[in-house]
Amino acid sequence: MERLSVVIITFNEEQNIERCLRSVRWADEVIVVDSFSSDRTTELAKNHADTIIRHVYDGDIPQRERGFAAASGSWLMYVDADEEVSAELQREIRSVLGAPDAVVGYELPRKSFIFGSWIGHGGWYPDYTLRLFRRDRYRAEPAEVHGGFTADGPRGRLIGFLYHYTYESIGHYLAKMNDYTSLQVSNKLREGATGPADSVDPGRLVLSPCSHFLRKYFSQRGYRDAFHGFLLAVLGSIYTLALYAKLWEYQLRDREGKGVRPPITNLELQRLKRP
């Protein structure tokens, strides 16, 4: 059976890290890349991880790449600190590692626990994401937020759950939304570099949030998650409004050359938050 290295990036994850690490302790190697947490994250991680690397945070992809570079396994997997590998998924991965006909990468289905409830609709599930791949066949797809990896060759899908204990509260969602929408402006501008740039007008600011709500709540059946589904569709609409409003603000400042352009990269946000 080939060796598997699991990489986890952290920053102030003392509430989640032990649950996550216990769920991957069966792997051949577990590497934690920490962004100088100020809580007990690294202290708790020492009980379960083989290696802990500390580096200033400059984005999810660079941090994970540091872990991959230090890994010794022929297979790589990354898990977020607020995720947990189910027992069924563990058995499937073990089977893949021992299979002579294994493909080069596997997408895993995430199931999210949000505001105290498991979410099964509204685009939240099944949330397939490529997390397991051969170390010599993957490529990074950099982005300031929601970046990922791809595999060069055939992929497969596993059915065991990767549990995702995401937003604990509405306040937590809104705090994350502020950062994510700022960083996604950078993604939008980068997309515009290879095609028509996104133009933002009052119509888009009104119609995009409405379209998001209708898609999530009705087309993707968010209503089947009862009030949680309604709330997530509404919050997603607010997210969409904030994103396009920030994109409009950035383009206006850039075009007129007046005022300070708002932060849209991880390094800019880190400098803004630094005391």
Side-chain angles (χ1 to χ4, degrees):
M1 183 180 296
E2 298 187 68
R3 284 177 55 83
L4 171 67
S5 297
V6 176
V7 172
I8 301 160
I9 63 173
T10 59
F11 177 70
N12 289 350
E13 292 283 358
E14 66 179 6
Q15 291 184 321
N16 294 313
I17 190 62
E18 286 193 295
R19 177 184 61 217
C20 176
L21 287 171
R22 288 192 188 106
S23 77
V24 297
R25 188 54 275 179
W26 49 272
D28 298 291
E29 181 180 42
V30 178
I31 298 172
V32 171
V33 182
D34 183 74
S35 306
F36 294 98
S37 293
S38 58
D39 63 3
R40 298 176 61 236
T41 297
T42 54
E43 176 187 341
L44 296 172
K46 288 177 183 177
N47 299 323
H48 307 279
D50 298 296
T51 303
I52 297 177
I53 300 168
R54 304 191 81 187
H55 195 282
V56 173
Y57 183 79
D58 55 356
D60 287 2
I61 300 298
Q63 290 290 79
R64 291 186 179 118
E65 290 273 51
R66 291 182 181 99
F68 293 161
S72 62
S74 56
W75 281 85
L76 302 173
M77 179 179 177
Y78 72 91
V79 180
D80 289 338
D82 61 355
E83 295 174 338
E84 177 186 20
V85 175
S86 67
E88 182 181 14
L89 181 56
Q90 173 189 336
R91 289 191 293 270
E92 281 189 280
I93 293 172
R94 284 181 176 275
S95 177
V96 164
L97 297 177
D101 59 346
V103 295
V104 302
Y106 289 87
E107 296 178 351
L108 315 181
R110 286 200 303 180
K111 189 170 185 179
S112 294
F113 190 74
I114 306 175
F115 306 154
S117 179
W118 291 106
I119 305 301
H121 305 88
W124 288 94
Y125 172 83
D127 177 23
Y128 282 101
T129 176
L130 184 72
R131 295 297 190 85
L132 175 67
F133 36 77
R134 295 185 184 274
R135 73 173 303 141
D136 60 347
R137 299 296 294 276
Y138 86 92
R139 286 184 292 108
E141 295 183 321
E144 290 295 335
V145 67
H146 305 318
F149 298 88
T150 189
D152 294 324
R155 303 184 193 180
R157 279 187 172 180
L158 304 183
I159 60 174
F161 290 143
L162 178 64
Y163 295 123
H164 186 201
Y165 299 89
T166 184
Y167 309 111
E168 300 170 0
S169 64
I170 295 172
H172 184 207
Y173 180 100
L174 294 174
K176 288 286 188 180
M177 181 188 75
N178 190 37
D179 282 353
Y180 288 170
T181 50
S182 293
L183 296 173
Q184 204 162 343
V185 168
S186 183
N187 291 1
K188 289 285 186 184
L189 293 172
R190 187 179 176 202
E191 292 167 10
T194 57
D198 264 307
S199 60
V200 181
D201 55 33
R204 187 161 201 170
L205 287 174
V206 172
L207 294 177
S208 291
C210 294
S211 174
H212 179 96
F213 177 84
L214 293 173
R215 184 173 66 257
K216 296 298 180 181
Y217 193 65
F218 291 106
S219 299
Q220 297 180 347
R221 299 186 296 173
Y223 60 84
R224 296 192 63 178
D225 287 315
F227 187 70
H228 279 77
F230 173 78
L231 187 57
L232 286 169
V234 170
L235 289 171
S237 300
I238 296 171
Y239 182 108
T240 303
L241 174 63
L243 168 61
Y244 283 108
K246 288 183 178 183
L247 180 59
W248 168 84
E249 177 187 37
Y250 186 92
Q251 291 178 329
L252 180 67
R253 297 275 179 88
D254 189 51
R255 185 168 58 248
E256 295 186 350
K258 298 177 181 178
V260 178
R261 290 189 300 187
I264 61 169
T265 69
N266 282 287
L267 290 177
E268 288 171 347
L269 284 176
Q270 291 301 314
R271 284 196 293 267
L272 184 66
K273 294 177 180 180
R274 199 171 296 151

